Amino acid sequence: MRCVIARYPFELTKPGVLASMAGIKPELVTGASVTIGRRRYPVMQVGEVLTRQDRRDFNGGEVTRAMARLGFTCHARPEAPPLLDATPRSPLQAASEALGSPDSQRT
């Protein structure tokens, strides 16, 4: 499939993407990602490997659109983990707990 990433045309195929990403260790996913094989890669890492261009030359939307058209599963930003303490704290309380003041030990 022909797609344009960073104003350059690329001829991408699903087997070609699988072969290019084979042996590549996924980076930590902090934003949009794509599942290739059994691994989940950040879209910017996939774009860098496939295009051999610097990550500043393209955006994640271009790569996400190309991967979705090839049939790969694309994911939005990962969900934030739930907060451990559900009660809201003021900045003063957080600072007191961090410094270990006697007031923070009463609660």
Side-chain angles (χ1 to χ4, degrees):
M1 177 195 77
R2 183 183 171 99
C3 64
V4 176
I5 300 175
R7 298 179 313 221
Y8 291 100
F10 292 95
E11 190 65 38
L12 299 176
T13 61
K14 192 166 186 169
V17 172
L18 289 168
S20 295
M21 296 306 292
I24 304 289
K25 182 180 177 188
E27 297 172 358
L28 179 65
V29 175
T30 58
S33 62
V34 59
T35 301
I36 299 175
R38 293 183 294 160
R39 295 183 174 186
R40 195 165 168 178
Y41 296 90
V43 292
M44 297 302 281
Q45 181 184 13
V46 173
E48 184 179 40
V49 170
L50 295 179
T51 65
R52 295 184 181 91
Q53 293 181 347
D54 190 85
R55 294 179 187 204
R56 294 173 290 182
D57 294 338
F58 56 88
N59 62 40
E62 294 172 316
V63 179
T64 301
R65 188 168 36 258
M67 295 298 105
R69 285 178 58 194
L70 285 172
F72 292 104
T73 304
C74 298
H75 310 275
R77 210 168 256 226
E79 293 181 17
L83 297 175
L84 297 177
D85 186 11
T87 58
R89 299 182 307 178
S90 71
L92 180 62
Q93 290 171 328
S96 294
E97 290 176 14
L99 295 173
S101 70
D103 292 337
S104 66
Q105 296 173 358
R106 281 189 229 163
T107 57

